[in-house]
Amino acid sequence: MKRTLVAFAMLVSALWPGTAQAAQPAGRVALIGVPGLQWSDLGPDATPNLWRLAGQSAVGSLSVRTVGKVTCPYDGWLTVSAGVRSSVGYGCGLPPTPEPSGAGAVVPGYDYLFRVARQRNSGALGEAVHAAGACTLAVGPGAALALADRRGAVDVYAPSPANLPDLPADAFTRCPVAAVDVNDLIRPYLAGGRLSGAEDALGPDRRARALRDADAAVGAVLAALPPDTRVLLAGLSDHGDTPHLRVAMMRGADVAGRFLGAASTHREDVTILPDVTATVLTAAGVPVPDTVIGVPWRAGGRTGGVGAARDELAGADRAGQTIRNLSGVFFTSVAVLQVAFYLVAFLLMRRRRGTGAIRVAALALAALPVSTYLVNLLPWRHAGAPALALTGGIAAIAAALAAVALAGPWRRDPLGPLAVVAGVTAAVLSGDLLTGTPLQLNSVMGYTAVVGARYYGLGNIPFALFATSVLLLATALAHRLTARDRRTAAVAAVAVPGCAAMILGGWPGVGSDFGGVIAFVPGIAVASLLLAGRRVSIVKLGSFCVAGGVTVMAIAFLDHLRPPGSQTHLGRFVGQVITGEALEVIARKLGAMLNTLLSPNLMPIVLAAAAFLVYGLLRPGTASAGVLPAAFAHSPALKAGLIGTLVSGVVGMLVNDSGAAVLSMALALGLPLVLSAGVQALRGGAAPAYAEAGQQPARSSRVSRRS
């Protein structure tokens, strides 16, 4: 069995791109940590040493997110030590001052990290260096924390960069792994030993002075390093209550003038904190422990010069800040629009009036989500008021898409506009996945590296939109096939594109969406069964959910067979199952999901849409003028597609940490599209029966005249 698995792993490595890791020769590496440093700080006059180093290095943005919203210096250095996102669990300040021990030092109270803080991976970096027979050199408290082994010890220590002359002359040549804590920039932000909660606690002048001090310290460190040292510089923490992207540089042979990225983010200009650990070890020729989730930094495309690179990387931080600041207002606005739409639609439909306006509004609302991705094709981030340019662009694109849906020859077909909006949404998200998700990054319905929850692949909200658009588009095609009595072909029209989209969304390195696969499978299966004229029982639904879990675990197992540095979070989850850490991950995600059920931005959409849907079906004559029954009478396939969408939305809500966001966005796209189809079906003469509800049918001619 073991030989079979080994052979299978070799086959996967041969066929799966990116599985091989090139052997790294042993070398000398120095990590310079400057907590709080961001690209907008750098300039040829303000920071000459840092500017010169940037011109000699590959440069990128460092996402410093660990556990909380912001990362303090202690947690940043601890994450470098562990190779996984870590937190000390109390306060937010500097690491403790080490106690001298011979030529080296010991971090006081280091066992607290294991006994109380449950940071079981602490010391992974220092332990790996010592296991390879090499010594560690630390300058400053943060550096000592990063390089300490599991006893909390480093071999050679100096309290600060000012004490570099006191080190033995051969210290940097004797110890191939060095780290230096340049905390001049972050110290002024501390109050009572803790990081200030204010973003602008210093003001421009005091921050400029702190930058000059940090720049001088970096210059002294660079002058003391042997010429063949690979230099890594990282802005390892935040400096206030707002997260930012920080500076990352790597000086070495043939990397100058390039962007700096990593396979962990699938971005050529963004890396994460655990990548620092893997980069230090790889540069020193030390094997990277399997527990380290980061991967080595790598040089990417050309920057066009240090000035252009600084502007682009600082602009990426501003774009992320714009998205982060706008997201709450945007989702509140979406919730208000959705609730207002259902309320107004309910009032108008009860009076058999305004169905034409309802159709237009429904299509505009349904076009809004995909517009949040298409707007990234426009240069909104370079505008003087980027938030205004972003929101204006989204509104304009949504209006244009709704106009297209209502303008073509397909407008007379009840499912025509639905197919246009759903087709554009599915095509945009498919194309985005296949091109590295440039549209989801820095999108209000996507993600941003500033927040650091996801850097590539299919996010939870995009999954809801992707699954909904694919299922509704497929059932629009299935409608034509069932009309020709080609039921088997209709089922295939849903199952084949649905499964293809599911694999695309879940495949490692493309969509990499764990919960999405679990949710997509029962949605596809339920829609297919209903199209085939079969009943769906609770037992069958449960078996479909199990099938989704088995499918995603099979994909994750294939990912796990790759080398650790090439795995995505799917493969690492399999490793966590093996080590027993998976329950902690599941519990954390469950807690996050339950918190979303109280979201004032998400739950109103779910409640309003669900209430309108249920009441509109139970009392169609008074609630919706018969629009929903008309849609389903015109196209039973559409009913199957909507039910499949709701199944995916509910399951997705339960298995994803975004929770209610998944179901709310599935409803925000799916129900308005179904309403638009029902309006046209009713105006075209469909007259569904109301025998079960004991009501009289609405007269379509009367509705048509008043609309």
Side-chain angles (χ1 to χ4, degrees):
M1 181 65 178
K2 183 177 180 181
R3 290 182 179 180
T4 302
L5 289 176
V6 170
F8 187 49
M10 293 175 64
L11 177 61
V12 171
S13 297
L15 298 178
W16 203 322
T19 58
Q21 287 184 313
Q24 295 289 334
R28 199 181 320 279
V29 60
L31 168 64
I32 304 174
V34 189
L37 185 66
Q38 55 195 67
W39 279 106
S40 57
D41 293 326
L42 270 63
D45 299 323
T47 56
N49 294 303
L50 288 166
W51 189 259
R52 189 178 308 111
L53 178 63
Q56 301 166 349
S57 306
V59 296
S61 296
L62 179 66
S63 175
V64 297
R65 179 178 181 265
T66 53
V67 176
K69 183 183 77 169
V70 296
T71 297
C72 64
Y74 197 138
D75 293 348
W77 285 109
L78 183 61
T79 297
V80 174
S81 168
V84 297
R85 289 173 170 173
S86 305
S87 174
V88 67
Y90 66 87
C92 193
L94 296 176
T97 301
E99 299 171 348
S101 176
V106 176
V107 178
Y110 195 77
D111 62 338
Y112 170 89
L113 297 173
F114 301 106
R115 291 187 299 102
V116 181
R118 301 178 66 185
Q119 301 302 310
R120 67 187 70 181
N121 295 309
S122 301
L125 174 55
E127 200 72 20
V129 174
H130 284 166
C135 70
T136 53
L137 187 159
V139 179
L145 179 64
L147 294 185
D149 59 17
R150 297 197 183 278
R151 298 179 297 110
V154 292
D155 301 307
V156 182
Y157 180 72
S160 74
N163 301 104
L164 286 174
D166 301 332
L167 289 172
D170 65 342
F172 282 106
T173 55
R174 181 161 53 92
C175 293
V177 179
V180 182
D181 181 3
V182 177
N183 57 22
D184 301 79
L185 177 58
I186 201 69
R187 277 203 317 270
Y189 285 94
L190 299 174
R194 294 291 178 260
L195 197 62
S196 170
E199 172 70 9
D200 55 352
L202 295 189
D205 293 338
R206 289 185 62 196
R207 184 171 176 86
R209 289 196 295 272
L211 273 170
R212 285 196 295 270
D213 293 341
D215 183 74
V218 170
V221 173
L222 293 174
L225 294 176
D228 62 342
T229 304
R230 171 154 293 203
V231 177
L232 314 176
L233 186 139
L236 294 173
S237 81
D238 291 307
H239 65 268
D241 65 347
T242 302
H244 283 274
L245 294 176
R246 304 292 167 174
V247 170
M249 303 183 198
M250 180 174 67
R251 187 180 74 180
D254 302 324
V255 298
R258 295 182 178 275
F259 281 113
L260 186 64
S264 57
T265 64
H266 286 233
R267 305 286 173 189
E268 70 168 8
D269 58 354
V270 181
T271 67
I272 59 176
L273 267 180
D275 293 339
V276 176
T277 312
T279 308
V280 168
L281 292 173
T282 302
V286 176
V288 180
D290 290 345
T291 57
V292 173
I293 67 169
V295 296
W297 289 350
R298 62 188 183 191
R302 291 286 179 183
T303 63
V306 63
R310 186 271 313 271
D311 292 344
E312 183 167 344
L313 296 171
D317 181 56
R318 286 193 300 272
Q321 293 299 329
T322 301
I323 295 299
R324 180 179 174 274
N325 295 333
L326 187 63
S327 291
V329 175
F330 180 83
F331 279 103
T332 298
S333 301
V334 170
V336 169
L337 287 173
Q338 288 273 331
V339 173
F341 168 74
Y342 292 118
L343 179 61
V344 172
F346 172 76
L347 294 175
L348 289 177
M349 287 179 175
R350 287 195 63 167
R351 299 177 182 180
R352 311 294 195 269
R353 300 179 61 183
T355 53
I358 291 171
R359 187 186 188 210
V360 173
L363 289 169
L365 279 179
L368 191 63
V370 71
S371 302
T372 65
Y373 308 119
L374 289 172
V375 75
N376 276 346
L377 297 174
L378 305 176
W380 62 264
R381 65 190 64 191
H382 302 300
L388 183 60
L390 177 62
T391 53
I394 291 172
I397 294 172
L401 180 55
V404 170
L406 289 167
W410 49 78
R411 68 185 183 277
R412 296 184 182 87
D413 185 335
L415 299 187
L418 175 150
V420 170
V421 175
V424 170
T425 303
V428 167
L429 288 171
S430 297
D432 192 46
L433 288 172
L434 293 171
T435 55
T437 59
L439 300 182
Q440 289 181 64
L441 182 69
N442 289 334
S443 164
V444 288
M445 283 194 174
Y447 41 80
T448 169
V450 168
V451 175
R454 179 181 276 270
Y455 304 91
Y456 69 95
L458 191 64
N460 290 333
I461 288 176
F463 155 72
L465 301 172
F466 190 44
T468 301
S469 60
V470 168
L471 284 173
L472 292 183
L473 179 63
T475 50
L477 175 60
H479 165 75
R480 293 186 174 276
L481 295 171
T482 54
R484 299 172 186 173
D485 200 25
R486 298 176 60 187
R487 190 174 295 274
T488 301
V491 172
V494 171
V496 173
C499 290
M502 180 267 293
I503 294 297
L504 183 65
W507 199 252
V510 183
S512 301
D513 186 15
F514 192 97
V517 175
I518 300 175
F520 214 155
V521 169
I524 298 167
V526 167
S528 299
L529 271 184
L530 293 175
L531 276 172
R534 302 288 187 86
R535 296 184 60 183
V536 179
S537 64
I538 296 297
V539 174
K540 288 181 180 179
L541 184 59
S543 66
F544 296 150
C545 294
V546 171
V550 171
T551 301
V552 76
M553 286 305 295
I555 295 173
F557 179 72
L558 290 174
D559 191 31
H560 181 68
L561 293 178
R562 301 196 294 172
S566 299
Q567 293 175 12
T568 68
H569 63 279
L570 279 76
R572 288 194 294 271
F573 180 75
V574 174
Q576 291 168 333
V577 171
I578 295 173
T579 60
E581 300 176 78
L583 289 179
E584 295 180 16
V585 176
I586 294 172
R588 186 172 66 249
K589 290 184 176 294
L590 178 62
M593 183 274 290
L594 293 175
N595 286 334
T596 66
L597 299 182
L598 302 176
S599 170
N601 293 333
L602 301 173
M603 287 310 295
I605 299 176
V606 174
L607 296 175
F612 185 91
L613 178 61
V614 172
Y615 193 44
L617 291 176
L618 292 180
R619 299 182 62 84
T622 58
S624 66
V627 167
L628 289 174
F632 300 148
H634 173 76
S635 175
L638 180 60
K639 183 177 181 179
L642 180 62
I643 293 175
T645 292
L646 294 177
V647 168
S648 283
V650 172
V651 176
M653 180 181 71
L654 297 176
V655 300
N656 280 297
D657 51 6
S658 294
V662 176
L663 181 56
S664 65
M665 291 302 106
L667 287 167
L669 175 61
L671 190 51
L673 288 179
V674 172
L675 279 176
S676 72
V679 168
Q680 184 61 22
L682 195 60
R683 296 171 73 185
Y690 299 94
E692 295 83 358
Q695 300 176 54
Q696 295 299 316
R699 294 182 180 177
S700 58
S701 59
R702 183 181 179 187
V703 172
S704 180
R705 287 196 304 270
R706 292 190 177 186
S707 61

